[in-house]
Amino acid sequence: MNPSILGYDGRLSSEVRVQLTDLLAAIALANLGKRTDLRKLCSIAIELLDNAQRHCTGDKVQFSWRIEGDEVIVSVQNKAKGKDALRLKEQVAAALGMSTQEITEAFKAQMMNPEFGEHGGAGLGILQIIKKGGKHYEVEVLPTDDTNEYICRSHVKTSLVA
Amino acid sequence: MNMTKPQLSIAETRNSPAVFFDHRIFKLSGISTMVYAMEFYAPLLALFDEGADPHSEEIDIEIHLSYYNSSSNKCIYQLMEKVKLLSDKGVKINVCWCVEEEDEFMREGGQTLEELLGLQFSYKQVPFNQNRLF
C-alpha cells in the first residue's frame, strides 16, 4: 500500500493550486517528517503546477504526488498549444544535458534576464526542478485530434536519500 | 521615519506576501506563489523607483518568506536590483533574510541573490513552523 498519494484531476485555478499546495505540505510533513529539504522537494510539484496552469489550453489537469520507497514521484498532465508543448520538451531535454554547474549558471543567467515569457513565466521553472533534484525528468508530448493542441505529460522522480 | 503613515501596506493572502514599505523600511513576509508574479511585484518595483528616499542614509529590508516560486524569485531579484542601485548611490542597506531552521531552500535563495547582486545579507534563523510549510 502506498501511504502517501495526492492526486487531482480537474480544473486548475489559483485557488485550486493553493489548496493542492496545502495538501501537499500536510502529506509531505506527515510522511517525511521535518527535513531540511522539505520545501525543496515540494517545490518540484509547485513548479510543475505553475507550468501547467500557465500553458494549459484544456479544462483539465491531472496531477499526482507520491512517495515510493526512497523516491518522490510527481506527475502532471495537461493540454497545451503545439509550440508550448514542443518547447517544454526541448527545454527539458536541453537542461537535462547540462552539468550541475551549467544548470546553476543557466539559472543565474535566466534570473538576471529581465524578460518574462508570453505566458508570464520567468524561464526558471525547469531549471529549478532539475536544480532541486529532479534529474529524472521525462516529458511526453502526444498529439490530439486538434492539430494545434498536444497532451503534455511530465514525470519527475527525486531521491529522498541525501 | 514615519511609521504611522506607511507608503504601502498590503495584507498577506494564501499565495501572496504581506508588504510594508515606508521609504526607509521594506518588509516582505508570508508566501509568494502567484503564477503571474510580475502582476503583484510590478507596482512594488515602481514604488522602489519613486518611493525610496534617495537621501536616506539607511534602509532596512526584511525578507521573511516561507516559500516563493521561480516566477516570484525573478521578481524578488529585480526588487533587490533596485536596492543595489540605492546601495551604489551610498545608501546603507541592511538586508535581513529570515530562514527557518536549516531550511535549504530559503538559505540557497538568499545566497544566490547575494552572489548575483554583490549585496551582503544577514541571516536570521527563525523557528520551523510545523503548522505551515507553505
Side-chain angles (χ1 to χ4, degrees):
Chain A
M1 187 181 86
N2 189 323
S4 54
I5 295 179
L6 170 61
Y8 176 75
D9 185 346
R11 288 177 185 270
L12 185 59
S13 63
S14 290
E15 180 55 30
V16 168
R17 223 167 41 90
V18 165
Q19 304 271 5
L20 283 174
T21 305
D22 282 352
L23 275 168
L24 183 62
I27 291 171
L29 267 171
N31 288 280
L32 300 174
K34 184 185 162 190
R35 295 170 58 114
T36 60
D37 61 351
L38 215 47
R39 288 192 174 96
K40 203 155 91 168
L41 290 169
C42 293
S43 74
I44 291 169
I46 293 171
E47 291 299 330
L48 285 175
L49 283 169
D50 278 5
N51 262 339
Q53 188 177 347
R54 206 170 272 131
H55 296 104
C56 185
T57 54
D59 60 354
K60 272 188 162 187
V61 166
Q62 290 171 307
F63 167 80
S64 73
W65 190 94
R66 63 187 193 275
I67 299 166
E68 274 186 15
D70 59 2
E71 287 182 327
V72 170
I73 302 166
V74 188
S75 302
V76 174
Q77 177 175 312
N78 60 279
K79 285 183 180 170
K81 282 183 185 169
K83 64 171 185 170
D84 293 330
L86 296 171
R87 191 176 57 219
L88 171 69
K89 195 174 169 68
E90 285 168 10
Q91 288 181 342
V92 170
L96 285 172
M98 294 180 191
S99 66
T100 304
Q101 183 62 27
E102 285 169 335
I103 287 281
T104 302
E105 293 307 318
F107 186 86
K108 289 174 183 171
Q110 190 57 30
M111 193 138 78
M112 289 189 285
N113 174 359
E115 300 300 319
F116 281 75
E118 63 175 302
H119 299 289
L124 292 167
I126 292 166
L127 295 169
Q128 167 114 317
I129 288 167
I130 295 171
K131 193 165 169 267
K132 299 300 180 194
K135 274 287 178 190
H136 299 278
Y137 187 166
E138 293 171 16
V139 177
E140 289 177 88
V141 172
L142 308 167
T144 65
D145 294 338
D146 181 340
T147 52
N148 191 36
E149 201 172 53
Y150 285 76
I151 293 169
C152 291
R153 285 184 191 148
S154 298
H155 306 278
V156 180
K157 285 185 189 177
T158 314
S159 175
L160 288 168
V161 181
Chain B
M1 182 170 65
N2 185 350
M3 292 292 286
T4 57
K5 292 183 181 175
Q7 191 169 12
L8 182 69
S9 181
I10 299 174
E12 179 183 356
T13 73
R14 293 179 70 196
N15 67 354
S16 65
V19 179
F20 177 87
F21 183 57
D22 83 337
H23 304 283
R24 291 187 54 187
I25 296 176
F26 176 78
K27 289 184 181 177
L28 196 62
S29 61
I31 187 166
S32 186
T33 59
M34 305 80 75
V35 170
Y36 306 102
M38 190 38 103
E39 289 176 6
F40 179 88
Y41 283 95
L44 300 186
L45 294 171
L47 202 66
F48 244 89
D49 284 335
E50 301 154 10
D53 181 355
H55 305 297
S56 287
E57 291 179 358
E58 198 164 349
I59 296 179
D60 292 325
I61 294 169
E62 185 177 285
I63 311 289
H64 185 176
L65 294 172
S66 58
Y67 181 81
Y68 52 83
N69 61 2
S70 64
S71 184
S72 300
N73 196 356
K74 187 180 257 194
C75 296
I76 293 166
Y77 171 81
Q78 292 184 4
L79 206 58
M80 287 298 168
E81 271 188 315
K82 306 279 182 194
V83 170
K84 177 68 166 67
L85 286 175
L86 291 169
S87 171
D88 291 344
K89 287 178 184 169
V91 179
K92 185 169 188 281
I93 303 291
N94 307 307
V95 181
C96 177
W97 189 266
C98 300
V99 180
E100 288 185 10
E101 295 161 43
E102 298 173 8
D103 177 5
E104 289 177 20
F105 184 90
M106 280 305 293
R107 185 167 290 277
E108 284 175 14
Q111 287 167 343
T112 302
L113 289 171
E114 271 187 295
E115 184 192 330
L116 292 180
L117 292 160
L119 283 168
Q120 194 168 3
F121 295 0
S122 63
Y123 290 87
K124 181 178 169 185
Q125 186 166 302
V126 294
F128 178 73
N129 186 347
Q130 191 80 30
N131 298 316
R132 182 177 170 174
L133 189 57
F134 295 108

